[in-house]
Amino acid sequence: MAWCSSGNKVSIHLEDTMKNPSIVGVLCIDSQGLNLGCCGTLSDEHAGVIFTLPWQATKLTCDLTDIPVVCLESDNRNAGGQKHNGITVAVQKMAS
């Protein structure tokens, strides 16, 4: 089982997400940018950046119903983040 920082019901969802062998990190952030929980390679240190990216991405669309997904890719890892109903979730995976 992956080490998760939370101590609440969020940790159950984070641990379930981490059961996918390609996922190496997951982070959940509230509407104020505060870490609700994290597992694996994503931590409190990443909360500010991950919170800001999807929020900024919403400014790139004219359709207010659009919920953008921000994807970052490197040679060995991929990360995606999405904000919905005040909660931002990011998942980091090993590149395939």
Coordinates of all heavy atoms in Angstrom, one line a residue:
M1 N 0.8 -1.2 0.0 CA 0.0 0.0 0.0 C 0.9 1.2 0.0 O 1.9 1.3 0.7 CB -0.9 0.0 1.2 CG -1.8 1.2 1.3 SD -2.8 1.3 2.8 CE -3.6 -0.3 2.9
A2 N 0.5 2.3 -0.7 CA 1.2 3.5 -0.8 C 1.0 4.3 0.5 O 0.0 4.3 1.1 CB 0.7 4.3 -2.0
W3 N 2.1 5.1 0.9 CA 2.0 5.9 2.0 C 1.1 7.1 1.6 O 1.4 7.8 0.6 CB 3.3 6.4 2.5 CG 3.3 7.3 3.6 CD1 3.2 6.9 4.9 CD2 3.2 8.7 3.6 NE1 3.1 8.0 5.7 CE2 3.1 9.1 4.9 CE3 3.3 9.7 2.6 CZ2 3.1 10.5 5.3 CZ3 3.2 11.0 3.0 CH2 3.1 11.4 4.3
C4 N 0.1 7.4 2.4 CA -0.8 8.6 2.1 C -0.8 9.5 3.3 O -0.9 9.0 4.5 CB -2.2 8.1 1.8 SG -2.3 7.2 0.3
S5 N -0.8 10.8 3.0 CA -1.0 11.8 4.1 C -2.4 12.3 4.0 O -2.8 12.9 3.0 CB 0.0 12.9 3.8 OG -0.3 14.1 4.5
S6 N -3.1 12.1 5.0 CA -4.5 12.6 5.1 C -5.1 12.4 6.4 O -5.2 13.3 7.2 CB -5.4 12.0 4.0 OG -6.7 12.4 4.1
G7 N -5.5 11.2 6.7 CA -6.2 10.9 8.0 C -7.7 11.1 8.0 O -8.3 11.2 9.0
N8 N -8.3 11.2 6.8 CA -9.7 11.3 6.7 C -10.2 10.4 5.5 O -9.5 9.6 5.0 CB -10.1 12.8 6.5 CG -9.4 13.4 5.2 OD1 -9.2 12.7 4.3 ND2 -9.1 14.7 5.3
K9 N -11.5 10.6 5.2 CA -12.1 9.8 4.1 C -11.4 10.0 2.8 O -11.4 9.1 1.9 CB -13.5 10.1 4.0 CG -14.3 9.7 5.2 CD -15.8 9.9 5.0 CE -16.6 9.5 6.3 NZ -18.0 9.8 6.1
V10 N -10.7 11.1 2.6 CA -10.0 11.3 1.3 C -8.9 10.2 1.1 O -8.7 9.8 0.0 CB -9.4 12.7 1.3 CG1 -8.5 12.9 0.1 CG2 -10.5 13.8 1.3
S11 N -8.3 9.8 2.2 CA -7.2 8.9 2.1 C -7.6 7.6 1.5 O -6.9 6.9 0.8 CB -6.5 8.7 3.5 OG -7.4 8.1 4.4
I12 N -8.9 7.2 1.8 CA -9.4 5.9 1.2 C -9.4 6.0 -0.3 O -9.0 5.1 -1.0 CB -10.8 5.6 1.7 CG1 -10.8 5.3 3.2 CG2 -11.5 4.5 1.0 CD1 -12.1 5.3 3.9
H13 N -9.9 7.1 -0.9 CA -9.9 7.4 -2.3 C -8.5 7.5 -2.9 O -8.2 6.9 -4.0 CB -10.7 8.6 -2.7 CG -12.2 8.5 -2.3 ND1 -13.0 7.6 -2.9 CD2 -12.9 9.1 -1.3 CE1 -14.2 7.7 -2.4 NE2 -14.2 8.6 -1.4
L14 N -7.6 8.1 -2.2 CA -6.2 8.2 -2.6 C -5.6 6.9 -2.7 O -4.9 6.5 -3.7 CB -5.4 9.2 -1.7 CG -5.9 10.6 -1.6 CD1 -5.1 11.4 -0.6 CD2 -5.9 11.3 -3.0
E15 N -5.8 6.1 -1.7 CA -5.2 4.7 -1.6 C -5.8 3.8 -2.7 O -5.0 3.1 -3.4 CB -5.4 4.1 -0.3 CG -4.6 4.7 0.8 CD -5.0 4.3 2.2 OE1 -5.9 3.4 2.4 OE2 -4.4 4.8 3.2
D16 N -7.1 4.0 -3.0 CA -7.7 3.2 -4.1 C -7.1 3.6 -5.4 O -6.8 2.8 -6.3 CB -9.2 3.4 -4.1 CG -9.9 2.6 -3.1 OD1 -9.3 1.7 -2.4 OD2 -11.1 2.9 -2.8
T17 N -6.8 4.9 -5.6 CA -6.2 5.4 -6.9 C -4.8 4.8 -7.0 O -4.4 4.5 -8.1 CB -6.2 6.9 -6.9 OG1 -7.6 7.4 -6.8 CG2 -5.6 7.5 -8.2
M18 N -4.1 4.8 -5.9 CA -2.7 4.3 -6.0 C -2.6 2.8 -6.3 O -1.5 2.3 -6.6 CB -2.0 4.7 -4.7 CG -1.7 6.1 -4.5 SD -0.6 6.9 -5.6 CE 0.9 6.0 -5.2
K19 N -3.7 2.1 -6.2 CA -3.7 0.7 -6.5 C -3.4 0.4 -8.0 O -2.9 -0.7 -8.4 CB -5.0 0.0 -6.1 CG -5.1 -0.1 -4.6 CD -6.5 -0.7 -4.2 CE -6.6 -0.7 -2.7 NZ -7.9 -1.2 -2.3
N20 N -3.6 1.4 -8.9 CA -3.2 1.3 -10.3 C -1.7 1.3 -10.4 O -1.1 2.3 -10.0 CB -3.8 2.4 -11.1 CG -3.6 2.4 -12.5 OD1 -2.5 2.0 -13.0 ND2 -4.5 2.8 -13.3
P21 N -1.1 0.2 -10.9 CA 0.4 0.2 -10.9 C 1.1 1.3 -11.7 O 2.3 1.6 -11.4 CB 0.7 -1.2 -11.5 CG -0.6 -1.7 -12.1 CD -1.7 -0.9 -11.5
S22 N 0.4 1.9 -12.6 CA 1.1 3.0 -13.4 C 1.1 4.3 -12.7 O 1.8 5.2 -13.0 CB 0.5 3.1 -14.8 OG -0.9 3.6 -14.7
I23 N 0.2 4.4 -11.6 CA 0.1 5.7 -10.9 C 1.2 5.7 -9.8 O 1.3 4.8 -9.0 CB -1.3 5.9 -10.3 CG1 -2.3 6.1 -11.5 CG2 -1.4 7.1 -9.4 CD1 -3.7 6.2 -11.1
V24 N 1.9 6.8 -9.7 CA 3.0 7.0 -8.7 C 2.7 8.1 -7.7 O 3.4 8.2 -6.7 CB 4.4 7.2 -9.4 CG1 4.8 5.9 -10.2 CG2 4.4 8.4 -10.3
G25 N 1.7 8.9 -8.0 CA 1.4 10.0 -7.0 C 0.0 10.5 -7.3 O -0.5 10.5 -8.4
V26 N -0.7 11.0 -6.2 CA -2.0 11.6 -6.3 C -2.1 12.7 -5.2 O -1.5 12.5 -4.1 CB -3.1 10.5 -6.2 CG1 -3.1 9.8 -4.9 CG2 -4.5 11.2 -6.6
L27 N -2.8 13.8 -5.5 CA -2.9 14.9 -4.6 C -4.3 15.5 -4.7 O -4.8 15.6 -5.9 CB -1.8 15.9 -5.0 CG -1.8 17.3 -4.2 CD1 -1.5 17.1 -2.8 CD2 -0.8 18.2 -4.8
C28 N -4.9 15.8 -3.6 CA -6.2 16.4 -3.6 C -6.1 17.7 -2.8 O -5.6 17.8 -1.7 CB -7.2 15.4 -2.9 SG -8.9 16.0 -3.0
I29 N -6.7 18.8 -3.4 CA -6.5 20.2 -2.9 C -7.9 20.8 -2.8 O -8.7 20.7 -3.7 CB -5.6 21.0 -3.8 CG1 -4.3 20.3 -4.0 CG2 -5.4 22.4 -3.2 CD1 -3.5 20.9 -5.2
D30 N -8.2 21.6 -1.7 CA -9.4 22.2 -1.5 C -9.5 23.6 -2.3 O -8.5 23.9 -3.0 CB -9.8 22.4 -0.1 CG -9.0 23.5 0.7 OD1 -8.2 24.2 0.0 OD2 -9.2 23.6 1.9
S31 N -10.6 24.3 -2.2 CA -10.8 25.5 -3.0 C -9.9 26.7 -2.5 O -9.8 27.7 -3.2 CB -12.2 26.0 -2.8 OG -12.5 26.2 -1.5
Q32 N -9.1 26.5 -1.4 CA -8.2 27.5 -1.0 C -6.7 27.1 -1.3 O -5.8 27.8 -0.8 CB -8.4 27.8 0.5 CG -9.8 28.4 0.8 CD -10.0 28.6 2.3 OE1 -9.0 28.6 3.1 NE2 -11.2 28.6 2.7
G33 N -6.6 26.0 -1.9 CA -5.2 25.5 -2.2 C -4.6 24.7 -1.1 O -3.4 24.5 -1.2
L34 N -5.4 24.3 -0.1 CA -4.8 23.5 1.0 C -4.9 22.0 0.7 O -5.9 21.6 0.1 CB -5.6 23.8 2.3 CG -5.5 25.3 2.7 CD1 -6.4 25.5 3.9 CD2 -4.1 25.7 3.0
N35 N -3.9 21.3 1.0 CA -3.8 19.9 0.7 C -4.8 19.1 1.6 O -4.7 19.2 2.8 CB -2.3 19.4 1.0 CG -2.1 18.0 0.8 OD1 -3.0 17.3 0.3 ND2 -0.9 17.5 1.0
L36 N -5.7 18.4 0.9 CA -6.6 17.5 1.6 C -6.0 16.1 1.8 O -6.5 15.4 2.7 CB -7.9 17.4 0.9 CG -8.7 18.7 0.7 CD1 -9.9 18.5 -0.2 CD2 -9.1 19.2 2.1
G37 N -5.0 15.8 1.0 CA -4.4 14.5 1.1 C -3.5 14.2 -0.1 O -3.7 14.8 -1.1
C38 N -2.5 13.4 0.1 CA -1.6 13.1 -0.9 C -1.0 11.7 -0.7 O -0.9 11.2 0.4 CB -0.5 14.1 -1.1 SG 0.5 14.4 0.4
C39 N -0.6 11.1 -1.8 CA 0.1 9.8 -1.8 C 1.2 9.8 -2.8 O 1.2 10.5 -3.8 CB -0.9 8.7 -2.2 SG -2.1 8.2 -1.0
G40 N 2.2 9.0 -2.5 CA 3.3 8.7 -3.4 C 4.2 9.9 -3.7 O 4.6 10.6 -2.7
T41 N 4.4 10.2 -4.9 CA 5.4 11.3 -5.3 C 4.9 12.7 -5.2 O 5.7 13.6 -5.3 CB 5.9 11.0 -6.8 OG1 4.7 11.0 -7.6 CG2 6.6 9.7 -6.9
L42 N 3.6 12.9 -5.0 CA 3.0 14.2 -4.9 C 2.8 14.5 -3.4 O 2.4 13.7 -2.7 CB 1.7 14.3 -5.7 CG 1.8 14.2 -7.2 CD1 0.5 14.2 -7.8 CD2 2.7 15.3 -7.8
S43 N 3.2 15.8 -3.0 CA 3.2 16.1 -1.6 C 2.7 17.6 -1.5 O 2.4 18.3 -2.4 CB 4.6 16.0 -1.0 OG 5.4 17.0 -1.6
D44 N 2.8 18.0 -0.2 CA 2.4 19.4 0.1 C 3.2 20.4 -0.8 O 2.7 21.5 -1.1 CB 2.7 19.8 1.6 CG 1.7 19.1 2.5 OD1 0.6 18.9 2.1 OD2 2.1 18.9 3.7
E45 N 4.4 20.1 -1.1 CA 5.3 21.0 -1.9 C 4.7 21.3 -3.2 O 4.9 22.3 -3.8 CB 6.6 20.4 -2.1 CG 7.4 20.2 -0.8 CD 8.7 19.4 -1.1 OE1 9.1 19.3 -2.3 OE2 9.4 19.0 -0.1
H46 N 3.9 20.4 -3.8 CA 3.3 20.5 -5.1 C 1.9 21.2 -5.1 O 1.4 21.6 -6.2 CB 3.2 19.1 -5.7 CG 4.5 18.4 -5.8 ND1 4.8 17.4 -4.9 CD2 5.6 18.6 -6.6 CE1 6.0 16.9 -5.2 NE2 6.5 17.6 -6.2
A47 N 1.3 21.3 -3.9 CA -0.1 21.8 -3.9 C -0.3 23.2 -4.5 O -1.2 23.4 -5.3 CB -0.5 21.9 -2.4
G48 N 0.6 24.1 -4.3 CA 0.4 25.5 -4.8 C 0.4 25.5 -6.4 O -0.4 26.1 -7.0
V49 N 1.4 24.8 -6.9 CA 1.5 24.8 -8.4 C 0.3 24.0 -9.0 O -0.3 24.5 -10.0 CB 2.8 24.2 -8.8 CG1 2.9 24.0 -10.4 CG2 4.0 25.0 -8.4
I50 N 0.0 22.9 -8.4 CA -1.1 22.1 -9.0 C -2.4 22.8 -8.8 O -3.3 22.7 -9.7 CB -1.1 20.7 -8.3 CG1 0.2 19.9 -8.8 CG2 -2.4 20.0 -8.6 CD1 0.4 18.6 -8.1
F51 N -2.6 23.6 -7.8 CA -3.8 24.4 -7.6 C -3.9 25.5 -8.6 O -5.0 25.7 -9.2 CB -3.8 25.0 -6.2 CG -4.9 25.9 -5.9 CD1 -6.2 25.4 -5.7 CD2 -4.8 27.3 -5.9 CE1 -7.3 26.3 -5.4 CE2 -5.8 28.1 -5.7 CZ -7.1 27.6 -5.4
T52 N -2.8 26.1 -8.9 CA -2.8 27.3 -9.8 C -3.0 26.9 -11.3 O -3.8 27.6 -12.0 CB -1.5 28.1 -9.7 OG1 -1.4 28.4 -8.3 CG2 -1.5 29.3 -10.5
L53 N -2.4 25.8 -11.8 CA -2.5 25.5 -13.2 C -3.9 25.3 -13.7 O -4.3 25.9 -14.7 CB -1.6 24.3 -13.5 CG -0.1 24.5 -13.4 CD1 0.6 23.2 -13.6 CD2 0.3 25.5 -14.5
P54 N -4.8 24.4 -13.1 CA -6.1 24.3 -13.6 C -6.9 25.6 -13.5 O -7.8 25.9 -14.4 CB -6.7 23.2 -12.8 CG -5.6 22.4 -12.2 CD -4.5 23.4 -12.1
W55 N -6.7 26.4 -12.5 CA -7.4 27.6 -12.3 C -7.1 28.6 -13.4 O -7.9 29.2 -14.0 CB -7.0 28.2 -10.9 CG -7.7 29.5 -10.7 CD1 -9.0 29.7 -10.4 CD2 -7.1 30.8 -10.7 NE1 -9.3 31.1 -10.2 CE2 -8.1 31.8 -10.4 CE3 -5.8 31.3 -11.0 CZ2 -7.8 33.1 -10.4 CZ3 -5.6 32.6 -10.9 CH2 -6.6 33.5 -10.6
Q56 N -5.8 28.6 -13.8 CA -5.4 29.5 -14.9 C -5.9 29.0 -16.2 O -6.2 29.7 -17.1 CB -3.8 29.6 -15.0 CG -3.2 30.3 -13.8 CD -3.5 31.8 -13.8 OE1 -3.8 32.4 -14.9 NE2 -3.3 32.5 -12.7
A57 N -6.0 27.6 -16.4 CA -6.4 27.1 -17.6 C -7.9 27.4 -17.9 O -8.3 27.5 -19.1 CB -6.3 25.5 -17.6
T58 N -8.7 27.6 -16.9 CA -10.1 28.0 -17.1 C -10.2 29.4 -17.8 O -11.2 29.6 -18.4 CB -10.9 28.1 -15.8 OG1 -10.3 29.1 -14.9 CG2 -10.9 26.7 -15.1
K59 N -9.2 30.2 -17.7 CA -9.2 31.5 -18.4 C -9.0 31.4 -19.9 O -9.1 32.3 -20.6 CB -8.1 32.4 -17.8 CG -8.3 32.7 -16.3 CD -7.2 33.5 -15.8 CE -7.4 33.9 -14.3 NZ -6.3 34.7 -13.8
L60 N -8.6 30.2 -20.4 CA -8.3 30.0 -21.8 C -9.5 29.6 -22.6 O -9.5 29.4 -23.8 CB -7.2 28.9 -22.0 CG -5.9 29.3 -21.3 CD1 -4.9 28.1 -21.5 CD2 -5.3 30.5 -22.0
T61 N -10.7 29.4 -21.9 CA -11.9 29.0 -22.6 C -13.0 30.0 -22.4 O -13.1 30.7 -21.4 CB -12.4 27.6 -22.1 OG1 -13.5 27.3 -22.8 CG2 -12.6 27.6 -20.6
C62 N -13.8 30.2 -23.4 CA -14.9 31.1 -23.4 C -16.2 30.4 -22.8 O -17.1 31.1 -22.3 CB -15.2 31.6 -24.7 SG -13.9 32.6 -25.5
D63 N -16.2 29.1 -22.9 CA -17.3 28.3 -22.4 C -17.2 28.1 -20.9 O -16.3 27.3 -20.5 CB -17.4 27.0 -23.2 CG -18.6 26.1 -22.8 OD1 -19.3 26.5 -21.8 OD2 -18.8 25.1 -23.4
L64 N -18.0 28.7 -20.1 CA -17.9 28.5 -18.6 C -18.2 27.1 -18.1 O -17.9 26.8 -17.0 CB -18.8 29.6 -17.9 CG -18.5 31.0 -18.2 CD1 -19.5 32.0 -17.6 CD2 -17.1 31.4 -17.8
T65 N -18.8 26.3 -19.0 CA -19.1 24.9 -18.6 C -17.9 24.0 -18.8 O -17.9 22.9 -18.4 CB -20.3 24.4 -19.3 OG1 -20.1 24.4 -20.7 CG2 -21.6 25.2 -19.0
D66 N -16.9 24.5 -19.6 CA -15.7 23.7 -19.8 C -14.9 23.5 -18.5 O -14.7 24.4 -17.8 CB -14.8 24.4 -20.8 CG -15.0 23.9 -22.2 OD1 -15.8 23.0 -22.4 OD2 -14.4 24.5 -23.1
I67 N -14.5 22.3 -18.3 CA -13.6 22.0 -17.2 C -12.3 21.5 -17.7 O -12.2 20.3 -18.1 CB -14.3 21.0 -16.2 CG1 -15.6 21.5 -15.7 CG2 -13.3 20.7 -15.0 CD1 -16.4 20.5 -14.9
P68 N -11.3 22.3 -17.9 CA -10.1 21.9 -18.5 C -9.3 20.9 -17.7 O -9.3 21.0 -16.4 CB -9.3 23.2 -18.7 CG -9.9 24.2 -17.8 CD -11.3 23.7 -17.5
V69 N -8.5 20.1 -18.3 CA -7.6 19.2 -17.7 C -6.2 19.6 -18.1 O -5.9 19.8 -19.3 CB -7.8 17.7 -18.1 CG1 -6.8 16.8 -17.6 CG2 -9.2 17.2 -17.7
V70 N -5.3 19.9 -17.2 CA -4.0 20.3 -17.4 C -3.1 19.0 -17.4 O -3.1 18.3 -16.5 CB -3.5 21.3 -16.4 CG1 -2.0 21.7 -16.6 CG2 -4.3 22.5 -16.4
C71 N -2.4 18.8 -18.5 CA -1.5 17.7 -18.6 C 0.0 18.1 -18.8 O 0.2 19.0 -19.6 CB -1.9 16.8 -19.8 SG -3.5 16.2 -19.7
L72 N 0.9 17.6 -18.0 CA 2.3 17.9 -18.1 C 3.0 16.5 -18.4 O 2.7 15.5 -17.8 CB 2.8 18.4 -16.8 CG 2.1 19.7 -16.3 CD1 2.5 20.0 -14.9 CD2 2.4 20.8 -17.2
E73 N 3.9 16.6 -19.4 CA 4.6 15.4 -19.8 C 6.1 15.6 -19.7 O 6.6 16.6 -20.0 CB 4.2 15.0 -21.2 CG 2.8 14.6 -21.4 CD 2.5 14.2 -22.8 OE1 3.4 14.1 -23.7 OE2 1.3 14.0 -23.1
S74 N 6.8 14.5 -19.3 CA 8.3 14.5 -19.4 C 8.7 13.1 -19.9 O 7.8 12.3 -20.3 CB 8.9 14.7 -18.0 OG 8.7 13.6 -17.2
D75 N 10.0 12.9 -20.0 CA 10.4 11.6 -20.6 C 9.9 10.4 -19.8 O 9.6 9.4 -20.4 CB 11.9 11.6 -20.7 CG 12.4 12.5 -21.8 OD1 11.6 12.9 -22.7 OD2 13.6 12.9 -21.8
N76 N 9.9 10.6 -18.5 CA 9.5 9.4 -17.7 C 8.2 9.5 -16.9 O 7.8 8.5 -16.3 CB 10.7 9.0 -16.7 CG 11.1 10.1 -15.8 OD1 10.5 11.2 -15.9 ND2 12.0 9.9 -15.0
R77 N 7.6 10.7 -16.8 CA 6.4 10.8 -16.0 C 5.4 11.7 -16.7 O 5.8 12.7 -17.4 CB 6.6 11.3 -14.6 CG 7.4 10.3 -13.8 CD 7.4 10.7 -12.4 NE 8.2 9.7 -11.7 CZ 8.5 9.8 -10.4 NH1 8.1 10.8 -9.7 NH2 9.2 8.9 -9.8
N78 N 4.1 11.5 -16.5 CA 3.1 12.3 -17.0 C 2.2 12.7 -15.8 O 2.0 11.9 -14.9 CB 2.2 11.6 -18.0 CG 2.9 11.2 -19.2 OD1 3.9 11.9 -19.6 ND2 2.6 10.1 -19.8
A79 N 1.7 13.9 -15.7 CA 0.8 14.4 -14.7 C -0.4 15.1 -15.3 O -0.3 15.8 -16.3 CB 1.6 15.3 -13.7
G80 N -1.5 14.9 -14.6 CA -2.7 15.6 -15.0 C -3.4 16.2 -13.8 O -3.4 15.6 -12.8
G81 N -4.0 17.3 -14.0 CA -4.8 18.0 -12.9 C -6.1 18.6 -13.4 O -6.1 19.1 -14.5
Q82 N -7.1 18.5 -12.6 CA -8.4 19.1 -13.0 C -9.1 19.6 -11.7 O -9.0 19.0 -10.6 CB -9.3 18.0 -13.6 CG -10.6 18.5 -14.1 CD -11.4 17.5 -14.8 OE1 -11.4 16.3 -14.4 NE2 -12.2 17.9 -15.8
K83 N -9.7 20.8 -11.9 CA -10.4 21.4 -10.8 C -11.9 21.2 -11.1 O -12.4 21.5 -12.3 CB -10.1 22.9 -10.8 CG -10.9 23.7 -9.7 CD -10.5 25.1 -9.8 CE -11.4 25.9 -8.8 NZ -11.2 27.3 -8.9
H84 N -12.7 20.8 -10.1 CA -14.1 20.6 -10.3 C -14.8 20.8 -9.0 O -14.4 20.2 -8.0 CB -14.4 19.2 -10.9 CG -15.8 19.0 -11.2 ND1 -16.5 19.7 -12.3 CD2 -16.8 18.2 -10.7 CE1 -17.7 19.3 -12.4 NE2 -17.9 18.4 -11.4
N85 N -15.8 21.7 -9.0 CA -16.6 22.0 -7.7 C -15.7 22.4 -6.6 O -15.9 21.9 -5.4 CB -17.5 20.8 -7.4 CG -18.6 20.6 -8.3 OD1 -19.1 21.6 -9.0 ND2 -19.1 19.4 -8.4
G86 N -14.7 23.1 -6.8 CA -13.8 23.6 -5.8 C -12.7 22.7 -5.3 O -11.9 23.0 -4.4
I87 N -12.7 21.5 -5.9 CA -11.6 20.5 -5.5 C -10.7 20.3 -6.7 O -11.2 20.1 -7.8 CB -12.3 19.1 -5.1 CG1 -13.2 19.3 -3.9 CG2 -11.2 18.1 -4.8 CD1 -12.5 19.8 -2.6
T88 N -9.4 20.3 -6.5 CA -8.5 20.0 -7.5 C -7.8 18.7 -7.2 O -7.4 18.5 -6.1 CB -7.4 21.1 -7.6 OG1 -8.1 22.4 -7.8 CG2 -6.4 20.9 -8.7
V89 N -7.7 17.8 -8.2 CA -7.1 16.5 -8.1 C -6.0 16.4 -9.2 O -6.3 16.7 -10.3 CB -8.1 15.4 -8.2 CG1 -7.4 14.0 -8.2 CG2 -9.2 15.5 -7.2
A90 N -4.9 15.9 -8.8 CA -3.8 15.7 -9.7 C -3.3 14.2 -9.6 O -3.3 13.7 -8.5 CB -2.6 16.6 -9.4
V91 N -3.0 13.6 -10.7 CA -2.5 12.3 -10.7 C -1.2 12.3 -11.5 O -1.1 12.8 -12.6 CB -3.5 11.3 -11.4 CG1 -2.9 9.9 -11.5 CG2 -4.8 11.3 -10.6
Q92 N -0.2 11.6 -11.0 CA 1.1 11.5 -11.7 C 1.3 10.0 -12.0 O 1.1 9.1 -11.2 CB 2.2 12.0 -10.8 CG 3.6 12.1 -11.5 CD 4.6 12.7 -10.7 OE1 4.8 12.4 -9.6 NE2 5.3 13.7 -11.3
K93 N 1.6 9.7 -13.3 CA 1.8 8.4 -13.8 C 3.2 8.2 -14.4 O 3.8 9.2 -14.9 CB 0.8 8.0 -14.9 CG -0.6 8.1 -14.4 CD -1.5 7.9 -15.6 CE -2.4 6.8 -15.4 NZ -3.3 6.5 -16.6
M94 N 3.6 7.0 -14.5 CA 4.9 6.7 -15.2 C 4.5 6.8 -16.7 O 3.4 6.4 -17.1 CB 5.4 5.3 -14.9 CG 5.8 5.1 -13.4 SD 7.1 6.3 -12.9 CE 8.5 5.7 -13.9
A95 N 5.4 7.3 -17.5 CA 5.2 7.4 -18.9 C 5.2 6.0 -19.5 O 5.9 5.2 -19.1 CB 6.2 8.3 -19.6
S96 N 4.3 5.9 -20.5 CA 4.2 4.5 -21.2 C 5.1 4.4 -22.4 O 5.6 5.4 -22.9 CB 2.8 4.2 -21.5 OG 2.1 5.2 -22.1

